[in-house]
Amino acid sequence: MTHDTHPGSSGPKDFTLDSASTRAASVHTTGRFGNHDLVLRPPQLLDGPGWRHTCLREADRLKPSIGAADVDWEKSVSLTSWADKVTAQRAAARAGRLVPLVLANGGGDVLGEISFAVDPRTGVAELSIWLSANTSAPARAWAWRTALTRVVGLPAAVRGVVAPVAVTNTGPGRMLTELGFTRRATTRQLRPYDGVPTDHDIWWLPRTTPAEAAPDLARQVTGRSWATTLRSCALMMLPCARVAVRRGRRVLRRSTTPSAQLPHAHDHGVRLPHDGFGTVTMDDGSPAGVADIRHDHGTSTLEVWTDLKNLDGAQRVAQTLLDVADTTGARRLAWSVRPGSVEQVAAAAVGFAPEGQTSPPVWACDVPHELWGRAQNQAHPIPTVTNPAKPQPKEP
């Protein structure tokens, strides 16, 4: 297996959107629905009051999906939260890791958020969306299709789009099906929904599937009135100042405090790389393969991809991953494996379960991969496999 690497670097090159793509993603697209003009564009700090108003008005609908169980809803949709979010989104967009969008009308009301987080390992964009109940069905369909068309048509070609949806949230399924998505996997306890860790269906739209947008009406959406603009500026001054102070403190802490590293020194005779791509080594220093380990703090998932040489090394890696997940407090383990590989055998032996298909890393050619997952709230005895047979491909 070959790995696309930076010249002089020790690991493969991550996928990010290039500058042409970030510019293309930030355009304003307008549409007219009845007597109303809507615009799909990047978020602005002055959207804070309109965003907060919508979130408070539709708390019952939105809180299960985007709320946090340990944070009061009033606080989670504060103007300071909005300023913090927009600042972080702009930084991620400049780095080519995110396409953030809002749906707004001319009066400054925010009618929804649509974002695409780019997975640097697989080159796949993850869709996150909510739309106001006050948005008409044609406008909702237009927003979905326009956003998808924009992302899959970027110069830096994403491989496709995934949309995780809680299994108890049946609303988005119909629209996803109409847009050409198919259910690809069901992940165990991926993230909380309505305050409870919940299984999520992973819907998949490959780049080769066109997501046609409704014809764009080239219109200039009337902007906020001067009174609304001045009011928004006044309301956002203090929240923006708070965010600036917080971020300054974070920079100071990072410059004076050593960064924490994932603990990988365990008693299983194998050493994994720290967070990121690297070589897997046995205690005697011999290489056992390569691994890419990343902690997704948003879902509290330890995400793993490996290319290991033999079953003994894979078993040791599996046992070590359980320890690492426990030590770091990860709620879930997700291992991307090739069907019939030694990793699949080792994962099954320590309680991982197949969850469906997943995208391979950008440097793993286009070899099919499966996602094997494990929730860390289950007991995990470590069985010993003796005289293992050669792993067989999974039956269709």
Side-chain angles (χ1 to χ4, degrees), residues 281-302:
T281 57
M282 306 297 286
D283 274 353
D284 61 5
S286 61
V290 294
D292 191 341
I293 302 174
R294 309 190 189 203
H295 198 150
D296 181 1
H297 296 281
T299 61
S300 189
T301 299
L302 194 67

PDB file of all heavy atoms in Angstrom, residues 281-302:
ATOM      1  N   THR A 281       4.991  -0.309  16.472  1.00  0.00           N
ATOM      2  CA  THR A 281       6.208  -1.072  16.750  1.00  0.00           C
ATOM      3  C   THR A 281       5.975  -2.068  17.878  1.00  0.00           C
ATOM      4  O   THR A 281       5.214  -1.811  18.819  1.00  0.00           O
ATOM      5  CB  THR A 281       7.365  -0.135  17.138  1.00  0.00           C
ATOM      6  OG1 THR A 281       6.971   0.658  18.266  1.00  0.00           O
ATOM      7  CG2 THR A 281       7.735   0.781  15.986  1.00  0.00           C
ATOM      8  N   MET A 282       6.657  -3.213  17.764  1.00  0.00           N
ATOM      9  CA  MET A 282       6.647  -4.197  18.835  1.00  0.00           C
ATOM     10  C   MET A 282       7.662  -3.770  19.893  1.00  0.00           C
ATOM     11  O   MET A 282       8.469  -2.857  19.683  1.00  0.00           O
ATOM     12  CB  MET A 282       6.992  -5.573  18.274  1.00  0.00           C
ATOM     13  CG  MET A 282       6.100  -6.004  17.108  1.00  0.00           C
ATOM     14  SD  MET A 282       4.363  -6.196  17.542  1.00  0.00           S
ATOM     15  CE  MET A 282       4.440  -7.737  18.460  1.00  0.00           C
ATOM     16  N   ASP A 283       7.635  -4.452  21.044  1.00  0.00           N
ATOM     17  CA  ASP A 283       8.554  -4.093  22.125  1.00  0.00           C
ATOM     18  C   ASP A 283      10.017  -4.223  21.717  1.00  0.00           C
ATOM     19  O   ASP A 283      10.878  -3.503  22.228  1.00  0.00           O
ATOM     20  CB  ASP A 283       8.283  -4.983  23.350  1.00  0.00           C
ATOM     21  CG  ASP A 283       7.174  -4.398  24.214  1.00  0.00           C
ATOM     22  OD1 ASP A 283       6.733  -3.267  23.918  1.00  0.00           O
ATOM     23  OD2 ASP A 283       6.745  -5.066  25.163  1.00  0.00           O
ATOM     24  N   ASP A 284      10.307  -5.148  20.793  1.00  0.00           N
ATOM     25  CA  ASP A 284      11.695  -5.316  20.365  1.00  0.00           C
ATOM     26  C   ASP A 284      12.103  -4.301  19.304  1.00  0.00           C
ATOM     27  O   ASP A 284      13.226  -4.342  18.782  1.00  0.00           O
ATOM     28  CB  ASP A 284      11.915  -6.737  19.844  1.00  0.00           C
ATOM     29  CG  ASP A 284      11.045  -7.064  18.625  1.00  0.00           C
ATOM     30  OD1 ASP A 284      10.344  -6.167  18.114  1.00  0.00           O
ATOM     31  OD2 ASP A 284      11.069  -8.237  18.182  1.00  0.00           O
ATOM     32  N   GLY A 285      11.219  -3.379  18.982  1.00  0.00           N
ATOM     33  CA  GLY A 285      11.530  -2.341  18.008  1.00  0.00           C
ATOM     34  C   GLY A 285      11.168  -2.671  16.578  1.00  0.00           C
ATOM     35  O   GLY A 285      11.285  -1.811  15.702  1.00  0.00           O
ATOM     36  N   SER A 286      10.720  -3.888  16.320  1.00  0.00           N
ATOM     37  CA  SER A 286      10.381  -4.274  14.948  1.00  0.00           C
ATOM     38  C   SER A 286       9.036  -3.657  14.549  1.00  0.00           C
ATOM     39  O   SER A 286       8.120  -3.554  15.374  1.00  0.00           O
ATOM     40  CB  SER A 286      10.311  -5.792  14.828  1.00  0.00           C
ATOM     41  OG  SER A 286       9.315  -6.321  15.683  1.00  0.00           O
ATOM     42  N   PRO A 287       8.889  -3.244  13.286  1.00  0.00           N
ATOM     43  CA  PRO A 287       7.633  -2.633  12.852  1.00  0.00           C
ATOM     44  C   PRO A 287       6.533  -3.678  12.677  1.00  0.00           C
ATOM     45  O   PRO A 287       6.774  -4.768  12.172  1.00  0.00           O
ATOM     46  CB  PRO A 287       8.004  -1.983  11.517  1.00  0.00           C
ATOM     47  CG  PRO A 287       9.162  -2.785  11.003  1.00  0.00           C
ATOM     48  CD  PRO A 287       9.921  -3.235  12.215  1.00  0.00           C
ATOM     49  N   ALA A 288       5.332  -3.316  13.119  1.00  0.00           N
ATOM     50  CA  ALA A 288       4.187  -4.214  12.966  1.00  0.00           C
ATOM     51  C   ALA A 288       3.183  -3.679  11.957  1.00  0.00           C
ATOM     52  O   ALA A 288       2.170  -4.321  11.681  1.00  0.00           O
ATOM     53  CB  ALA A 288       3.497  -4.413  14.313  1.00  0.00           C
ATOM     54  N   GLY A 289       3.443  -2.499  11.400  1.00  0.00           N
ATOM     55  CA  GLY A 289       2.535  -1.881  10.445  1.00  0.00           C
ATOM     56  C   GLY A 289       2.431  -0.393  10.710  1.00  0.00           C
ATOM     57  O   GLY A 289       3.305   0.200  11.344  1.00  0.00           O
ATOM     58  N   VAL A 290       1.356   0.215  10.226  1.00  0.00           N
ATOM     59  CA  VAL A 290       1.126   1.638  10.431  1.00  0.00           C
ATOM     60  C   VAL A 290      -0.284   1.849  10.977  1.00  0.00           C
ATOM     61  O   VAL A 290      -1.167   0.995  10.813  1.00  0.00           O
ATOM     62  CB  VAL A 290       1.311   2.456   9.132  1.00  0.00           C
ATOM     63  CG1 VAL A 290       2.758   2.420   8.677  1.00  0.00           C
ATOM     64  CG2 VAL A 290       0.388   1.946   8.034  1.00  0.00           C
ATOM     65  N   ALA A 291      -0.476   2.976  11.630  1.00  0.00           N
ATOM     66  CA  ALA A 291      -1.788   3.301  12.189  1.00  0.00           C
ATOM     67  C   ALA A 291      -2.013   4.795  12.128  1.00  0.00           C
ATOM     68  O   ALA A 291      -1.068   5.589  12.143  1.00  0.00           O
ATOM     69  CB  ALA A 291      -1.890   2.816  13.632  1.00  0.00           C
ATOM     70  N   ASP A 292      -3.269   5.166  12.053  1.00  0.00           N
ATOM     71  CA  ASP A 292      -3.691   6.561  12.149  1.00  0.00           C
ATOM     72  C   ASP A 292      -4.763   6.614  13.224  1.00  0.00           C
ATOM     73  O   ASP A 292      -5.834   6.019  13.077  1.00  0.00           O
ATOM     74  CB  ASP A 292      -4.246   7.044  10.813  1.00  0.00           C
ATOM     75  CG  ASP A 292      -4.459   8.558  10.786  1.00  0.00           C
ATOM     76  OD1 ASP A 292      -4.523   9.154  11.872  1.00  0.00           O
ATOM     77  OD2 ASP A 292      -4.571   9.127   9.688  1.00  0.00           O
ATOM     78  N   ILE A 293      -4.478   7.297  14.322  1.00  0.00           N
ATOM     79  CA  ILE A 293      -5.370   7.343  15.475  1.00  0.00           C
ATOM     80  C   ILE A 293      -5.730   8.797  15.754  1.00  0.00           C
ATOM     81  O   ILE A 293      -4.850   9.639  15.940  1.00  0.00           O
ATOM     82  CB  ILE A 293      -4.714   6.705  16.714  1.00  0.00           C
ATOM     83  CG1 ILE A 293      -4.338   5.255  16.411  1.00  0.00           C
ATOM     84  CG2 ILE A 293      -5.622   6.791  17.932  1.00  0.00           C
ATOM     85  CD1 ILE A 293      -3.552   4.579  17.503  1.00  0.00           C
ATOM     86  N   ARG A 294      -7.020   9.078  15.802  1.00  0.00           N
ATOM     87  CA  ARG A 294      -7.466  10.447  16.038  1.00  0.00           C
ATOM     88  C   ARG A 294      -8.638  10.426  17.012  1.00  0.00           C
ATOM     89  O   ARG A 294      -9.482   9.537  16.960  1.00  0.00           O
ATOM     90  CB  ARG A 294      -7.891  11.117  14.728  1.00  0.00           C
ATOM     91  CG  ARG A 294      -6.829  10.992  13.651  1.00  0.00           C
ATOM     92  CD  ARG A 294      -7.109  11.843  12.445  1.00  0.00           C
ATOM     93  NE  ARG A 294      -6.184  11.529  11.371  1.00  0.00           N
ATOM     94  CZ  ARG A 294      -5.866  12.356  10.379  1.00  0.00           C
ATOM     95  NH1 ARG A 294      -6.400  13.557  10.340  1.00  0.00           N
ATOM     96  NH2 ARG A 294      -5.025  11.999   9.432  1.00  0.00           N
ATOM     97  N   HIS A 295      -8.663  11.414  17.891  1.00  0.00           N
ATOM     98  CA  HIS A 295      -9.728  11.523  18.882  1.00  0.00           C
ATOM     99  C   HIS A 295     -10.702  12.588  18.426  1.00  0.00           C
ATOM    100  O   HIS A 295     -10.364  13.773  18.398  1.00  0.00           O
ATOM    101  CB  HIS A 295      -9.137  11.872  20.250  1.00  0.00           C
ATOM    102  CG  HIS A 295     -10.078  11.582  21.383  1.00  0.00           C
ATOM    103  ND1 HIS A 295      -9.651  11.230  22.642  1.00  0.00           N
ATOM    104  CD2 HIS A 295     -11.425  11.579  21.450  1.00  0.00           C
ATOM    105  CE1 HIS A 295     -10.695  11.032  23.430  1.00  0.00           C
ATOM    106  NE2 HIS A 295     -11.783  11.248  22.726  1.00  0.00           N
ATOM    107  N   ASP A 296     -11.913  12.166  18.049  1.00  0.00           N
ATOM    108  CA  ASP A 296     -12.964  13.110  17.676  1.00  0.00           C
ATOM    109  C   ASP A 296     -13.682  13.529  18.955  1.00  0.00           C
ATOM    110  O   ASP A 296     -14.516  12.805  19.492  1.00  0.00           O
ATOM    111  CB  ASP A 296     -13.941  12.451  16.707  1.00  0.00           C
ATOM    112  CG  ASP A 296     -15.056  13.395  16.265  1.00  0.00           C
ATOM    113  OD1 ASP A 296     -15.041  14.557  16.712  1.00  0.00           O
ATOM    114  OD2 ASP A 296     -15.920  12.971  15.494  1.00  0.00           O
ATOM    115  N   HIS A 297     -13.338  14.730  19.444  1.00  0.00           N
ATOM    116  CA  HIS A 297     -13.893  15.169  20.716  1.00  0.00           C
ATOM    117  C   HIS A 297     -15.377  15.495  20.606  1.00  0.00           C
ATOM    118  O   HIS A 297     -16.105  15.421  21.602  1.00  0.00           O
ATOM    119  CB  HIS A 297     -13.119  16.392  21.225  1.00  0.00           C
ATOM    120  CG  HIS A 297     -11.688  16.092  21.534  1.00  0.00           C
ATOM    121  ND1 HIS A 297     -11.284  15.472  22.695  1.00  0.00           N
ATOM    122  CD2 HIS A 297     -10.550  16.295  20.811  1.00  0.00           C
ATOM    123  CE1 HIS A 297      -9.976  15.317  22.698  1.00  0.00           C
ATOM    124  NE2 HIS A 297      -9.500  15.814  21.563  1.00  0.00           N
ATOM    125  N   GLY A 298     -15.840  15.833  19.406  1.00  0.00           N
ATOM    126  CA  GLY A 298     -17.259  16.142  19.248  1.00  0.00           C
ATOM    127  C   GLY A 298     -18.158  14.959  19.538  1.00  0.00           C
ATOM    128  O   GLY A 298     -19.243  15.113  20.100  1.00  0.00           O
ATOM    129  N   THR A 299     -17.721  13.751  19.167  1.00  0.00           N
ATOM    130  CA  THR A 299     -18.503  12.543  19.426  1.00  0.00           C
ATOM    131  C   THR A 299     -17.867  11.666  20.497  1.00  0.00           C
ATOM    132  O   THR A 299     -18.373  10.594  20.794  1.00  0.00           O
ATOM    133  CB  THR A 299     -18.646  11.704  18.148  1.00  0.00           C
ATOM    134  OG1 THR A 299     -17.332  11.303  17.689  1.00  0.00           O
ATOM    135  CG2 THR A 299     -19.324  12.487  17.042  1.00  0.00           C
ATOM    136  N   SER A 300     -16.755  12.118  21.079  1.00  0.00           N
ATOM    137  CA  SER A 300     -16.002  11.334  22.065  1.00  0.00           C
ATOM    138  C   SER A 300     -15.679   9.950  21.501  1.00  0.00           C
ATOM    139  O   SER A 300     -15.892   8.926  22.144  1.00  0.00           O
ATOM    140  CB  SER A 300     -16.779  11.195  23.381  1.00  0.00           C
ATOM    141  OG  SER A 300     -15.961  10.626  24.384  1.00  0.00           O
ATOM    142  N   THR A 301     -15.162   9.946  20.275  1.00  0.00           N
ATOM    143  CA  THR A 301     -14.838   8.708  19.582  1.00  0.00           C
ATOM    144  C   THR A 301     -13.345   8.635  19.297  1.00  0.00           C
ATOM    145  O   THR A 301     -12.754   9.604  18.807  1.00  0.00           O
ATOM    146  CB  THR A 301     -15.608   8.604  18.249  1.00  0.00           C
ATOM    147  OG1 THR A 301     -17.015   8.614  18.514  1.00  0.00           O
ATOM    148  CG2 THR A 301     -15.253   7.326  17.508  1.00  0.00           C
ATOM    149  N   LEU A 302     -12.734   7.501  19.594  1.00  0.00           N
ATOM    150  CA  LEU A 302     -11.361   7.237  19.190  1.00  0.00           C
ATOM    151  C   LEU A 302     -11.425   6.548  17.831  1.00  0.00           C
ATOM    152  O   LEU A 302     -11.870   5.407  17.712  1.00  0.00           O
ATOM    153  CB  LEU A 302     -10.656   6.340  20.215  1.00  0.00           C
ATOM    154  CG  LEU A 302      -9.130   6.253  20.087  1.00  0.00           C
ATOM    155  CD1 LEU A 302      -8.475   7.585  20.425  1.00  0.00           C
ATOM    156  CD2 LEU A 302      -8.578   5.160  20.997  1.00  0.00           C
TER     157      LEU A 302
END
